[in-house]
Amino acid sequence: METHPSLKVNPDKNDEKNDPKDTYNIAYIIHFLLGAGCLVPWNAFITAVDYFNCLYPANHVNKVFSVGYMSAAITVLVILLCWSRSSRINLPSVRARLNFGQGLFILALMVAPVTDWIDHGNETGTGLNVSFVVLVSMVMVSGLADGLVSGSLIGATGELPGRYMQAVLAGNATAGLMVSTLRIVTKASLPHTQNGLRISTQIYFVFSSVIVLLCVICTNVLDKLPVIRCYRNRIPVDDQANKPHKSIETNNFWEVVKKIRWLVTSVFFIYVVSLSIFPGYLSENVESKYFKDWYPILLITTFNVGDFLGKCFTAVYVPRGTRGAIWCSMGRVVFYPLFTGCIRGPRWMHMEAPVIALTFVLGLTNGYLTSVLMILAPKSVAIEESEIVGIAMQTFLVVGLVVGSAFGWIWNL
C-alpha cells in the first residue's frame, strides 16, 4: 500500500516551542473530561447489562442498544455535515452544541432510574414492553446527543495541537473504565438480590448523570481560558470571521476526504471489527459457570481497560507516519476467527482466560490505533482543513460503529 503524500505529517505543525502555556494543564484536563463525558452515557447503558438482561431476558439488549445508539449518532453527523455545507443556515456555536447534547445525555440517563421507580412492580408483558421501548428510545436520544457532542468536540479540537486530541481520546477510553468501575462498586456493595440490583443500578445512573453535569461546567469554562483563545486567534482571519458558523463546501469536503482516504478507511475498519464483537458478543455469546452474571461486566471492563491503556500510550509514543497504523487497522480482521474459536473451537478456547486475553488485546489495539489516526489526521492537512478532517474522521468512525453493530447479529446465526 502506497501512503498518499498528504498523509506525511508536517513536523513544523508539531513544533510546540512557540505555543502558549497551558497553566496547570487546565485546558488538557478539560478536554480529557469532555472526551470522557461523550461516552459516559453509552458505557452506562451497556455496562448495566446484568440489570437489563434480568428485566428483559427475551431481548438481545446490548445488540439492540448498539444498533439504536449508533444509527442515531450517524444520523446527527450526516445532518451536521449537510447543515454545515449551507452558507445560508448558520450552525450554532460549538459551545451551544455541546451544552445541548450534554443536556440530552442527562435526560436520557435519568429516564432509566425514573422509569424503574414509576414502573416498579409492573411485571406484566405490556408493562415490560412499554418500559423497554422507552429505554431503547432514551438510548437513541443518547446516540443523537453523542453524534452532536462528539462531532463538534472532535472538529473543534482538530484545530488545536495534537496533545488536546490525545486528551479527548484518552478521556473517551477513561469513560468506559470509570463507568465499569462504578458498576462493579455499586453491584458489589449491595446484596445480590433483585432489590439490591435495582438500587445499585439507580445509584449507578445517578452518578453517571453527575459526571455529565461536571462536563457541562467544563464546556462553559473552556472558551474562557487564555490558552484556548490564543489558539483560536491563530486561525486565518477569513476563517475566524466566520467562526463558529463556518460552512463546509461539498466539493472541499470530499477533496479533503480524498487526501486522507486511507485514514478514514482505517478508522472505519477498526470500529467495524470492534463493534461486531463489543459489547454484543461479549455479553451474550460467551458464558462462564464461575463468574455467572459478573462475566459480561468483567469482559466489558477488560475491553475498557485495554482501550484506556492503548489511548494513553499515545501520550508516550506516536509514530511520525501512518503506514504502520493503516496496516495494523486492516489486520484486526484476525479477531474474527479467534473469537469464533471461543464459541466453536476446541474446548480450551472456551475457557475464561483465552476470552479475557483476546478481549484485552481487542481493546488495546482499538484504543491505540484510533488515537494514532485521530491525532495524525488533522496534522496531515493545512490548518484551515483541520476541522473538516476531524468531522470526516468522526463520521467514518461512527459509520464503522453502525456497520459493526449490525454485523454483531451474525454471531446469533
Side-chain angles (χ1 to χ4, degrees), residues 308-319:
F308 172 76
L309 293 176
K311 285 175 177 169
C312 286
F313 187 64
T314 50
V316 178
Y317 174 72
V318 177

Side-chain angles (χ1 to χ4, degrees), residues 7 21 26 35 39 54 99 118 148 173 189 235 387:
L7 300 186
K21 186 176 180 181
I26 294 175
L39 291 183
C54 181
N99 281 331
I118 295 172
L148 184 62
S189 60
I235 299 170
E387 183 175 4

Side-chain angles (χ1 to χ4, degrees), residues 104-222:
L104 290 179
F105 278 151
I106 295 172
L107 170 66
L109 285 170
M110 287 307 298
V111 162
V114 168
T115 301
D116 185 68
W117 291 330
I118 295 172
D119 204 45
H120 179 54
N122 183 9
E123 297 182 356
T124 63
T126 303
L128 289 175
N129 287 336
V130 170
S131 62
F132 185 68
V133 169
V134 171
L135 177 63
V136 173
S137 299
M138 288 303 102
V139 170
M140 294 183 72
V141 167
S142 290
L144 292 171
D146 186 8
L148 184 62
V149 172
S150 296
S152 302
L153 181 62
I154 293 291
T157 308
E159 298 175 340
L160 304 177
R163 68 189 297 263
Y164 295 107
M165 185 67 78
Q166 187 274 329
V168 170
L169 296 170
N172 286 167
T174 305
L177 185 59
M178 182 167 48
V179 170
S180 295
T181 303
L182 178 61
R183 183 62 192 144
I184 290 170
V185 170
T186 54
K187 182 178 173 68
S189 60
L190 290 164
H192 197 55
T193 62
Q194 182 75 13
N195 192 51
L197 185 61
R198 282 184 59 249
I199 295 173
S200 70
T201 305
Q202 291 169 1
I203 295 171
Y204 162 79
F205 274 106
V206 169
F207 270 99
S208 299
S209 300
V210 171
I211 293 171
V212 178
L213 184 59
L214 175 62
C215 291
V216 174
I217 297 171
C218 290
T219 297
N220 291 283
V221 168
L222 184 62

Side-chain angles (χ1 to χ4, degrees), residues 269-279 281-282 299 302-308 310 332-336 338-339 354-370 411:
F269 266 99
I270 288 173
Y271 282 89
V272 168
V273 174
S274 293
L275 262 288
S276 58
I277 299 169
F278 168 87
Y281 171 96
L282 300 180
L299 291 177
T302 300
F303 177 92
N304 286 328
V305 169
D307 188 51
F308 172 76
R332 293 178 82 245
V333 294
V334 74
F335 283 114
Y336 286 131
L338 292 174
F339 276 100
V355 178
I356 291 172
L358 280 174
T359 301
F360 177 78
V361 177
L362 179 73
L364 186 71
T365 55
N366 182 88
Y368 183 71
L369 293 172
T370 298
W411 299 106

